[in-house]
Amino acid sequence: MTDAVFPPSHPFDFDAVRDADDDKLREECGVFGVNGVVDAANFVALGLHALQHRGQEAGGIVSHHPEFGFNSARRMGYVRDNFTSQDVMDTLPGALSIGHVRYSTTGSKGNTAIRDVQPFFGEFAMGGAAIAHNGNITNADALRRELIERGSIFQSSSDSECIIHLMARSLQKGIPERMEDALRRVEGAFSVVAMTRTKLIGVRDPLGVRPLVLGRIGDGWALSSETCALDIIGAEFVREIEPGEMVVITEDGKIESRRPFRQATSRFCIFEHVYFSRPDSILGGRSVYETREAIGRELAKESPVDADLVCPVPDSGTPAAIGFSLESGIPYAMGIIRNQYMGRTFIEPTEHIRNMGVRLKLNVNRALIRDKRVILVDDSVVRGTTSRKIKEMILDAGAKEVHFRIASPPTAWPCFYGVDTPQREKLLAATMSEEEMRQHLSVDSLKFISLDGLYRAVGEAKGRDAGCPQYCDACFSGEYPVEPADMIAQGFQLKTAAE
Amino acid sequence: MTDAVFPPSHPFDFDAVRDADDDKLREECGVFGVNGVVDAANFVALGLHALQHRGQEAGGIVSHHPEFGFNSARRMGYVRDNFTSQDVMDTLPGALSIGHVRYSTTGSKGNTAIRDVQPFFGEFAMGGAAIAHNGNITNADALRRELIERGSIFQSSSDSECIIHLMARSLQKGIPERMEDALRRVEGAFSVVAMTRTKLIGVRDPLGVRPLVLGRIGDGWALSSETCALDIIGAEFVREIEPGEMVVITEDGKIESRRPFRQATSRFCIFEHVYFSRPDSILGGRSVYETREAIGRELAKESPVDADLVCPVPDSGTPAAIGFSLESGIPYAMGIIRNQYMGRTFIEPTEHIRNMGVRLKLNVNRALIRDKRVILVDDSVVRGTTSRKIKEMILDAGAKEVHFRIASPPTAWPCFYGVDTPQREKLLAATMSEEEMRQHLSVDSLKFISLDGLYRAVGEAKGRDAGCPQYCDACFSGEYPVEPADMIAQGFQLKTAAE
Amino acid sequence: MTDAVFPPSHPFDFDAVRDADDDKLREECGVFGVNGVVDAANFVALGLHALQHRGQEAGGIVSHHPEFGFNSARRMGYVRDNFTSQDVMDTLPGALSIGHVRYSTTGSKGNTAIRDVQPFFGEFAMGGAAIAHNGNITNADALRRELIERGSIFQSSSDSECIIHLMARSLQKGIPERMEDALRRVEGAFSVVAMTRTKLIGVRDPLGVRPLVLGRIGDGWALSSETCALDIIGAEFVREIEPGEMVVITEDGKIESRRPFRQATSRFCIFEHVYFSRPDSILGGRSVYETREAIGRELAKESPVDADLVCPVPDSGTPAAIGFSLESGIPYAMGIIRNQYMGRTFIEPTEHIRNMGVRLKLNVNRALIRDKRVILVDDSVVRGTTSRKIKEMILDAGAKEVHFRIASPPTAWPCFYGVDTPQREKLLAATMSEEEMRQHLSVDSLKFISLDGLYRAVGEAKGRDAGCPQYCDACFSGEYPVEPADMIAQGFQLKTAAE
Amino acid sequence: MTDAVFPPSHPFDFDAVRDADDDKLREECGVFGVNGVVDAANFVALGLHALQHRGQEAGGIVSHHPEFGFNSARRMGYVRDNFTSQDVMDTLPGALSIGHVRYSTTGSKGNTAIRDVQPFFGEFAMGGAAIAHNGNITNADALRRELIERGSIFQSSSDSECIIHLMARSLQKGIPERMEDALRRVEGAFSVVAMTRTKLIGVRDPLGVRPLVLGRIGDGWALSSETCALDIIGAEFVREIEPGEMVVITEDGKIESRRPFRQATSRFCIFEHVYFSRPDSILGGRSVYETREAIGRELAKESPVDADLVCPVPDSGTPAAIGFSLESGIPYAMGIIRNQYMGRTFIEPTEHIRNMGVRLKLNVNRALIRDKRVILVDDSVVRGTTSRKIKEMILDAGAKEVHFRIASPPTAWPCFYGVDTPQREKLLAATMSEEEMRQHLSVDSLKFISLDGLYRAVGEAKGRDAGCPQYCDACFSGEYPVEPADMIAQGFQLKTAAE
């Protein structure tokens, strides 16, 4: 639990013991902060619980109290298991607090050491500061090398730690100003929630790749990755922090908006609409659920098929499947049932358990499926391993036909902006055409929504603006709005003109 | 963990720390057994994992190996956390194994001691036997007193322990015969899976109140509370064990059917269709999911209402809501989103967490609900506490109207056959009419399915046969097919002719 | 932790992971009880802590409170780790309490299941009782078979459980009377502390093999295996319970002495003087420490040797070494230093750790030992494995001569009265003469105290009365005062006239 | 466990739950390192186990393997509980390893966060390094302020972390050279063991306040705080590292001795002889045990008294008590028995347990002590709280007279060189004369060894050289060989000429 493994780390095969159908892109982090409320850490715990889908491996909370100073608790595991007991919460006093949930970072995939768990804290000459970061810094390797050269000592393998070291070395006097300094050196995607002894700070990178919203609670303010976490604490959703904006909120509730970065065109992550964000969150003024239903409708228009049932691949395919059913008139049904008592990992499971794979989590509703032509709606296809197993289960149960409809375009490129994606070679769509994928999965038909269709569903009536895309869709298009410098240095090949 | 608290137990207020919206009837147990397979305990673990919805507090597995004898592991918590590691499973060798998951028993509600966790084991003169029991013995108190009088020492507070003591004192030579002896003394509901050194045994009480099914796996056999657990181990569903039937399965795969009890008319628990069983299980030849969809359709016919959306109360209201939508043509939508990272209990939570109640688990899809007339479909109303909170959340989110449709008749009577129900006074329907409940919940309309409607939905075209009901529906009708002797002794009032 | 392994148990090689120099006879149990004090369980915890040397594997406490009834906590591990926190002790209310520490029982050596941890509890028709037993029942197998035949269900593999089943079946009305009934059926060694809802009971077997003492604390009474546990709670030592005596102490502090057994001659275990009891306990009116010093003096008289230093094998050889030094005039010195941070067992240690053996615990004081003629005084030689390693360490450190002096006669026979001894074949003295042992250990001289010398040291001026020995010395003499019936049935050969 | 509490830390009263008789000066650290052996971390674990008396709160090990890089494990608790399992040790591969055991640091007394556990690691431009430090840096606060000013981020509250930050900022190319740079900035006491990817490094401060020895094992080398840890791994004691010496040991076993500091006169801590070091370690060519025996002899010469028994206060008073007995001819006896099953702390103990204090650990051998005139020999008197309780226990047991003889001079000044001492006001000898202390303890006589007597016992035949003392004896004399700059800045008053 408390081991610190220094890079290059010991090559344990942690993947082998992961949930067998872990075949999704994974958002890597959620951030939350609040000020102006009694026992703020309690609110942060609730907010993080509502953001747990953005990171399940670990969580941390920092709070500040005028008398007791900064305090922190960082733990492996779920928020609900770590941050609900009086014991722990008593150690986090004060009216100002921030927190972080985390899937895994660039530094130590699948082997999260406690030292990699955020928020990170730094003691500066003028007082301490803590930061929580959602996103990914694309020039972190270069920054790290430079900082080490100058005598900084890194304690984690996280890219986010660069920010706190850059702040420590800034010549500015105030902490918010040091943060501006630091973030101007940083490239990539970042939605940051930070705190000093008195201030709550929120920043989004110039492109606004990751979400960050502002809420009001009593006389205090909240910052959150998504609106669903405002709901749980009873905060009112005020507005999104704008791309390139920094808000500095003082103890007495004053809020100041700054613009530390050069102006840029917004490129919000379109996959937040497809999968990452919770369906009850609001993005662009509409519930994510409705957008996903619209994606399903769009998909039904683009790729209709005659069938008996529309079934979601639970749970992420559900809203799109409902949309597909509404548009197509084909009845919606729960053909696959999810076991609610599955967690994500097993500790040293038996061979037998390991071989069960997705069957531990999903079961086909055999009596319902038998002799039916079934449309399966899923949010995405990553490696294709789960899709294949699900298809087999459906056929074993006696389905006559299986048609896959996917609520996103083919995922052909890795994300370098805070999402855990396999290497490009392992993405099914990177090496196969749609028809090849259909054959690979051995299904009667397989259709992805088009990129334009997806843009329409998220509200861009004219579809994608190829010259200046309204979203970051690099995972589909290979067009990276920020050059992934570290990855290129490691040999990653950008899309060529020919592709 | 390993404390044994002898009755009368120390009065900790465990209820206070339960999940705040624990407003459901709870099935108390699931049972599973298998023979004729290598490392049978692995199969039992998988089966119990699939039956986890029938009992989440604890689980246990017993196995037998010719060389290593009987071995057992019993643990608090989920199957997936306790029975997946090589470490534990290595201690359970052999080709014959049974297991049990448990919610809580009559003896120690909310304070399950490890000694109450089944299977129970007894060493008899001719060898040992282990039993796992789903149901409830209605004359357990009387039997217990009698057995203690004669020198038996009880180790648990469970009603099920009577069976093993009755077996120990039987004058029969064989263990199956001793079991027949014992079960003939027992009143109430019981589906039992048991094992000797060589035999796997399954029994259902004469009325067949609780389910028990038989499956085939290779040359071996499986017994399970539900068919969904046969699916997970790849066993083929053969048939239901019949009410009043005992099957004795030998090492070499021979299966013998016995009839130890006087003939009776079947009274299967109708609530298994409504809520307890998993939607992908098969009851009476049809998937439970389809039955629930049919309940929703029936409900839409009986109690239509003009509205904009049909929303399930997640997750148990989902199939009925889909049925209601299909029948009524009103669009189905997920207006309430469930947090997937909720467990059931918190250890010493802060005041703040405790007050959150259902909001920790459910959030309203605000953007979707605003200004809509919403039909909420739930499976049942027990105390009404959760229904009330959900209504408030929906109204807070700006719904124009809220209409509750309930997929079961009013729950007005406690169950004494293996289901955890509040005392009668706490059942909303025990003290209020439908209209009073509507006012209590402050909703625009509230309708329950009729008892006849429910019977039609489960396949009885003519509805309920009042003279000889086809199911046990005591929780709705107050007509108890087996007299609850212990409860009457404690002062419980049966329904009077006037009621 | 909570696994129950039914006999025949799974053959894990727990011995392999035991402390490598576990080369001692082991007392198997300590018992303690107190009444008439507020929060009696706290006193029991302290008493058991002082008796921890009599059993380190597990401990248990039962208490009774008029309102909360009987409560119990049983745990693996040390008293200090399990029974000191407010959390646990709050679950054990009441003014009457008993407890037990345990090494391991006949039933499950090295694999103590929590179900084998005492006190055992039985609910009888007239109320419950709990018992804690130090000793061993030599006809337990036969009793167990008989009880099972009649329908009793055993929950543990402990011989002590027979007592509670015999009590359950007694036709007597009162619990003390049922206990008399039960103990009259039992053969072997037993010092029992028991409690009902109101009474504290102590009994010693007719021969008084194991110790049991009575103390006074305020208006209450305490029963303890040794006086050192009276000291820790501030109780005054009143007297020993006599062989064959039963004391029944009522709530209002009245104490009644009964004599349930036929008269017999006392045969107290002489090894309690040599090793089992704590040096600060009082046996026969003298501190055990003084007796051991006297043994050392006696040994110096019987087997003098010219040398530079007398060193104890820590820690049990210390008092005898001091006595040897005082008698011989050879300076006493700590030639071997014990690491105070050693516990008894390792969980899955590395090969490297396992091979360290005794060196993990003991280190030779090299600078002191070099070029010296050293007398090593140890309490006993069992398998001889540790003696051999110690000799090697001493020689490695440069000692010129090594002379072993042993404060007990050769241990040539197993104990069946509550002591964990290896099988006879593994006792060095069972197969070798003193000279053979000296050669086997490769030391310059090896001398054991004579049996008469030992008797003199414990105060029998004329030595052992061969016709009617004053003590049980079966481990030295092979003369068993109670026939070990179960062991004989298993093939154990009693000493023949020829031996 | 994994909480990081940033200073000013939350003021939990951890002291309240410490072992009640924690009335000793405490060595704060032990260090160990080895190279040139397979699985070096195993050797380090054994070495740290042998050094556990130098620090019981936590331990850490770092190893390096050419393929797997640096790995580390840091844990709260004993070495034997944390670093013996295959699981943990497998994560620490390689032939080069260092480790550290720790009592508590200046930064977080009694509230050790895992982040304060050494070895500390820093990644530099030319590769990583890990350091383990025994001692205390007396200008750490000033260094820390300066480093933070320049942008270093401290992760712990430990003074030792300064060293690694100074190394990170050094302009030297090689790591040993950076270490020289860093240590020249540091004041106070330090024995450091460090490692790079290929080198094992040992350094002692110019005065050589803390010990550090060199050993040979096969083709490899070991560095250890004490020789007893060389014994356990089978290494041969070669020599002490000299005050002001740095040894740099390469992979191929070459050892280079450097002298990075200005020449100074050695001032080894004399309290290592009195209490800190293990009796089987060798200091100055003689076993510590023999030195302590000599202290006892010297004490008997200086302060004889007529009595019946000489008893040690266990366990640290034992060798001096033996010496006192040998010199005086008064018989040595164990009048106080130590419970071997005591650990150091309790988690939230009951009031009852808390009030027990020293009686949980020590018991008087009542039968032995009664009516005797007893000389109690202890190593030191710090607050006097334990001495007082022991005296009471002895008198309660019926002793006629109690004479304390203390094997060190009055401890009147705190140590700032790596020893945990109370504030000056709490030291009994800081405010009372010997006679006042005698009255305070209510004993018949109380005598401390003289400072000259102590010097004679450690081998300085002429006693202390007042002009240029051969040892650091600041805790007795108030003469601090290195100015405690940080403490003076905090208001500590040095001894005035008048005192």
Side-chain angles (χ1 to χ4, degrees), chain B residues 145-158:
Chain B
R145 261 193 311 277
E146 178 192 324
L147 284 159
I148 286 174
E149 201 70 48
R150 294 183 180 210
S152 293
I153 295 181
F154 278 71
Q155 293 292 332
S156 78
S157 58
S158 163

Side-chain angles (χ1 to χ4, degrees), chain A residues 121-194:
Chain A
F121 179 84
E123 185 85 35
F124 309 137
M126 77 294 284
I131 62 164
H133 168 222
N134 174 208
N136 189 47
I137 300 175
T138 51
N139 65 334
D141 290 357
L143 288 173
R144 193 185 182 99
R145 261 193 310 277
E146 179 193 322
L147 284 160
I148 286 174
E149 199 72 47
R150 295 181 180 209
S152 293
I153 295 181
F154 278 71
Q155 292 294 331
S156 77
S157 58
S158 162
D159 61 306
S160 313
E161 195 185 341
C162 289
I163 301 172
I164 203 100
H165 284 290
L166 289 168
M167 288 171 70
R169 286 171 174 279
S170 164
L171 301 176
Q172 295 290 339
K173 285 238 173 96
I175 290 175
E177 291 70 33
R178 285 187 169 213
M179 210 167 147
E180 291 184 35
D181 251 21
L183 292 175
R184 276 192 289 256
R185 287 294 317 277
V186 150
E187 297 167 8
F190 51 86
S191 285
V192 173
V193 170

Side-chain angles (χ1 to χ4, degrees), chain A residues 42-43 46 49-50 52-53 56 78 80 84-86 89 228 231-234 278-280 282 287 289-290 315 318 322 332-334 337-353 356 359-360 363-368, chain B residues 42-43 46 49-50 52-53 56 78 80 84-86 89 228 231-234 278-280 282 287 289-290 315 318 322 332-334 337-353 356 359-360 363-368:
Chain A
N42 272 293
F43 292 81
L46 287 167
H49 171 63
Q52 190 81 78
H53 61 290
Q56 294 96 48
Y78 288 163
R80 69 170 303 281
T84 49
S85 72
Q86 196 73 52
M89 299 316 287
C228 65
D231 294 347
I232 201 173
I233 66 162
R278 241 173 67 169
D280 49 339
I282 294 171
S287 91
Y289 174 85
E290 288 173 285
D315 286 344
T318 300
I322 292 170
Y332 170 85
M334 292 170 65
I337 300 297
R338 188 170 158 278
N339 186 326
Q340 296 183 30
Y341 304 99
M342 265 304 287
R344 287 187 59 244
T345 56
F346 290 103
I347 307 301
E348 301 184 23
T350 62
E351 184 83 15
H352 200 93
I353 295 287
M356 292 303 297
R359 287 171 62 183
L360 286 171
N363 189 30
V364 171
N365 202 328
R366 304 175 74 85
L368 181 74
Chain B
N42 271 293
F43 291 81
L46 287 167
H49 171 63
Q52 190 81 75
H53 61 290
Q56 295 97 49
Y78 288 164
R80 68 171 304 281
T84 50
S85 72
Q86 196 73 52
M89 301 315 288
C228 65
D231 295 347
I232 200 172
I233 64 162
R278 240 172 69 170
D280 49 338
I282 294 171
S287 91
Y289 174 86
E290 288 172 285
D315 285 344
T318 300
I322 292 170
Y332 170 84
M334 292 169 66
I337 300 297
R338 189 169 158 279
N339 186 326
Q340 295 183 29
Y341 304 99
M342 267 304 288
R344 287 186 59 244
T345 56
F346 290 102
I347 307 301
E348 301 184 23
T350 64
E351 183 82 15
H352 199 95
I353 295 288
M356 291 304 296
R359 286 170 63 183
L360 285 171
N363 190 30
V364 172
N365 203 328
R366 303 175 75 85
L368 181 75

